[in-house]
Amino acid sequence: MSKAARAAARGAKVGKKVEQNPHIKTRIGSGHAMPAPPLGPLLGQRGLNAANFCNDFNERTKEMKDGMPLPVRLLVNPDRSYKMTIYRPYTSYLLRAAAGIKKGSSRPGHDAMGMISLKHVYEIAKVKWEDDTLKEDVDLQEMCMLVIGQAKSIGIKVVPRLSVEQLNEFLLERDERIELARLAEEEALK
């Protein structure tokens, strides 16, 4: 007797439908939504038409910088319609873009990979503060402090004013540190 037959004999439901969570949290690059994996299967499990969603998302983000990672929240209704909420870009992305770096420090607090001024911090805090979820709980000054804390945690130095000479000097020192670390790593491998 098969497992399905034994389950049916016991009165258990065979092949019952799995209920999916109606909330989806994902990150999508602006203008880069495609019905290919990983987004396509994620939407398909909930019964959504991935191509229609991608067209809708790309249309809503066409004014933004191409490829900017955006947090997206979806609430899927039983009738397969959805409510899409697109939030502001991640703070770490905005900080790395302002500092002109691709990734943060592997040793934050010890090695600074980039440098930004308080003006950059204020502008990033204003962008993040526009999210409806933050406006009620945090004022702009607290948001600036949060941005400064995150900058320190990814290895970006915050200074009151940033001159071109100061930035060039910092970049030269950083490049020297990176080169010395690379040479030391090569020596260790020999």
Side-chain angles (χ1 to χ4, degrees):
M1 183 180 272
S2 71
K3 288 183 182 180
R6 275 186 264 148
R10 286 192 316 254
K13 291 184 178 178
V14 179
K16 66 179 182 179
K17 186 175 181 178
V18 177
E19 285 294 320
Q20 295 286 343
N21 185 354
H23 299 280
I24 300 174
K25 294 181 180 182
T26 188
R27 173 178 28 191
I28 309 169
S30 60
H32 286 214
M34 296 183 295
L39 186 59
L42 182 69
L43 298 172
Q45 290 173 358
R46 306 313 198 280
L48 296 177
N49 184 330
N52 288 344
F53 170 82
C54 292
N55 290 337
D56 184 25
F57 177 82
N58 290 337
E59 182 65 29
R60 287 180 62 181
T61 61
K62 70 181 177 185
E63 301 298 323
M64 297 180 183
K65 181 180 173 190
D66 197 39
M68 185 181 340
L70 300 168
V72 179
R73 306 292 184 262
L74 289 173
L75 175 62
V76 181
N77 300 320
D79 65 349
R80 296 185 181 175
S81 64
Y82 58 87
K83 179 181 181 249
M84 176 174 31
T85 307
I86 302 172
Y87 292 100
R88 304 281 183 249
Y90 293 97
T91 307
S92 60
Y93 172 82
L94 296 172
L95 285 167
R96 288 191 319 260
I101 58 175
K102 290 190 179 182
K103 67 177 206 169
S105 174
S106 59
R107 294 176 4 131
H110 299 285
D111 295 334
M113 294 302 290
M115 187 184 288
I116 60 173
S117 70
L118 287 176
K119 183 177 180 183
H120 291 110
V121 169
Y122 178 73
E123 293 299 325
I124 292 170
K126 274 191 357 185
V127 168
K128 289 301 291 180
W129 195 59
E130 290 174 6
D131 273 342
D132 294 334
T133 57
L134 294 175
K135 263 192 174 174
E136 299 136 9
D137 302 329
V138 180
D139 68 2
L140 192 54
Q141 184 176 1
E142 290 174 320
M143 192 68 211
C144 287
M145 297 306 292
L146 291 170
V147 171
I148 290 171
Q150 187 156 2
K152 289 179 180 178
S153 74
I154 61 175
I156 295 176
K157 187 176 179 180
V158 179
V159 295
R161 294 187 192 281
L162 186 59
S163 67
V164 175
E165 296 83 26
Q166 193 178 15
L167 181 60
N168 288 336
E169 182 181 321
F170 171 79
L171 292 175
L172 285 172
E173 289 175 12
R174 182 192 70 183
D175 292 343
E176 288 173 5
R177 278 196 321 265
I178 291 172
E179 184 64 24
L180 288 173
R182 187 186 63 77
L183 291 173
E185 189 176 304
E186 286 178 2
E187 286 294 322
L189 291 175
K190 288 183 181 178

